[in-house]
Amino acid sequence: MAPINVGLMGYGFSTKCFHLPFIEPNEDLNVYAFLQRARAPVDTINMETGVHVTADYPHTKHYRTAETFFADPAIELVIICTNVETHAEFAEKALLAGKHVVVEKPFTVTSTEADHLIAIAKKAGKVLTCFQNRRYDGDFQTISHLISKKAFGKITECEIHYDADSPAWVSKWDSPGLIPGEGMLYGLGSHTLDQALQLFGRPKSVTAFLRTLRSIESETDDAFTVILQYEGDQKDLLVTVKTTIVSPMERQMKLFVRGTEGSFLKFDEDLQADQVMAGMLSTESTFGVEDSASYGLLSTVKEFDGKTQTFDKRCKKYVGKWPTASGRYLGYYEDVVAAIRGIAELHVKPEQARDVIRLIELARESHNKGASVSWS
């Protein structure tokens, strides 16, 4: 079967770090075209790598306008890696042009936009999905496994962190007002809120606190705490999703889960992005494999795993470092291909991506009101 022709919109950090390294090794995908508005340079031979697609990918098509890009009938799958305010517009145009679509996170700015795109995709019979690659993080795969095996009994608390101490890239948020789609809630929050929804489903209510900790007065958040409360069988569950740019810690907190039968505490971020930036290939055997020093600590009332746990007389619990599953962003595009070819159900459904955006909207509403708000 011939590979699927891929057209990528944008040639920035996201395209080069999070998409191409996981598209190129996939034999079912062919990097066919790029949309990059910059004019092709005259001298591509002596050009620095990563500046222009005509130098890095000389055998691909180069388009400078969206109109000519979408008009190419050979493009089958469009990857949208442009600014968030263009996501909905470009996704709609791609679907109407008969393309399958992957949208970089955040999916859209509003849930209304997301609903509109979902309706268009259904009518067109095309795959529409969001690049929720953090579902393929080793730590998320690990906690998902432990929860599925009921290692914690009835879960009463979960904290999901994605902290970054004084990151240089927040300096671009220099507007005193709120720019739709900008800020940490849309940025890192679109990953961790997705993880929370995948683990526990839609909450009953949302309570949020948004802050600006960088050295300017702005409505664009760079720190947030979102608290999700549930009902029914999960009425005793409290889920907290947090990000801050003030975190001078030796190791950043990542996950904390506890329940009636056990707990799990983990530090350190998934290492795949750092490995790509260091030049490692996503096909190398050690790619996504975490060092044992970063394994999380699993403590249980009863022995859960005799190979990794020992009985601690001090706390009267079975305690041990639980190996982190290997992170594998390659799996994202493998799943997209399977969905396009009708082999498997789409893993990251657009309705799920829409719920992330709705949760962000509700978090902002809660913050503005200074009160909890119900899911709606």
Side-chain angles (χ1 to χ4, degrees), residues 7 62 80 86-87 92 128-129 131 172 182 184 200 205 208 214 219 243 248 267 295 298 309 338 352:
H62 169 226
I80 300 173
T86 67
H87 285 186
E92 179 175 357
L128 170 67
T129 185
F131 191 62
K172 67 182 181 181
E182 286 196 355
M184 281 297 192
F200 304 110
S205 66
R214 61 194 186 283
E219 292 183 51
T243 283
F267 293 81
Y295 290 175
L298 176 66
Q309 290 180 302
Q352 296 169 343

Side-chain angles (χ1 to χ4, degrees), residues 254-271:
K254 186 58 186 175
L255 288 166
F256 176 50
V257 180
R258 59 183 167 190
T260 55
E261 298 296 322
S263 66
F264 183 72
L265 176 62
K266 189 183 185 312
F267 293 81
D268 301 332
E269 281 297 327
D270 182 271
L271 69 167

Side-chain angles (χ1 to χ4, degrees), residues 218-231:
S218 175
E219 292 183 51
T220 301
D221 62 279
D222 55 32
F224 65 82
T225 298
V226 178
I227 301 169
L228 309 179
Q229 292 177 278
Y230 290 78
E231 58 187 347

Side-chain angles (χ1 to χ4, degrees), residues 83 168-175 182 214:
N83 292 335
W169 44 267
V170 300
S171 61
K172 67 182 181 181
W173 299 332
D174 55 3
S175 171
E182 286 196 355
R214 61 194 186 283

Side-chain angles (χ1 to χ4, degrees), residues 131-286:
F131 191 62
Q132 296 290 0
N133 62 309
R134 294 291 176 173
R135 293 191 194 181
Y136 298 78
D137 280 1
D139 49 67
F140 181 70
Q141 294 294 317
T142 300
I143 199 64
S144 299
H145 171 76
L146 290 172
I147 289 175
S148 71
K149 296 300 182 181
K150 304 187 185 304
F152 311 114
K154 182 180 180 180
I155 299 174
T156 57
E157 287 184 83
C158 176
E159 289 186 22
I160 304 174
H161 290 248
Y162 196 163
D163 300 321
D165 188 41
S166 302
W169 44 267
V170 300
S171 61
K172 67 182 181 181
W173 299 332
D174 55 3
S175 171
L178 178 63
I179 306 298
E182 286 196 355
M184 281 297 192
L185 199 56
Y186 276 97
L188 301 187
S190 60
H191 285 307
T192 47
L193 293 172
D194 176 69
Q195 291 180 342
L197 290 172
Q198 288 306 298
L199 292 174
F200 304 110
R202 289 178 172 180
K204 176 186 177 183
S205 66
V206 180
T207 310
F209 306 90
L210 312 182
R211 295 179 291 167
T212 302
L213 302 181
R214 61 194 186 283
S215 57
I216 67 167
E217 291 294 326
S218 175
E219 292 183 51
T220 301
D221 62 279
D222 55 32
F224 65 82
T225 298
V226 178
I227 301 169
L228 309 179
Q229 292 177 278
Y230 290 78
E231 58 187 347
D233 293 341
Q234 296 186 116
K235 65 181 177 63
D236 297 322
L237 172 63
L238 198 67
V239 177
T240 305
V241 183
K242 294 176 68 72
T243 283
T244 181
I245 62 165
V246 178
S247 188
M249 300 174 66
E250 178 190 12
R251 299 168 63 197
Q252 297 299 328
M253 177 101 163
K254 186 58 186 175
L255 288 166
F256 176 50
V257 180
R258 59 183 167 190
T260 55
E261 298 296 322
S263 66
F264 183 72
L265 176 62
K266 189 183 185 312
F267 293 81
D268 301 332
E269 281 297 327
D270 182 271
L271 69 167
Q272 293 177 85
D274 287 340
Q275 288 178 324
V276 167
M277 288 185 282
M280 182 180 287
L281 298 177
S282 60
T283 51
E284 293 185 37
S285 61
T286 56

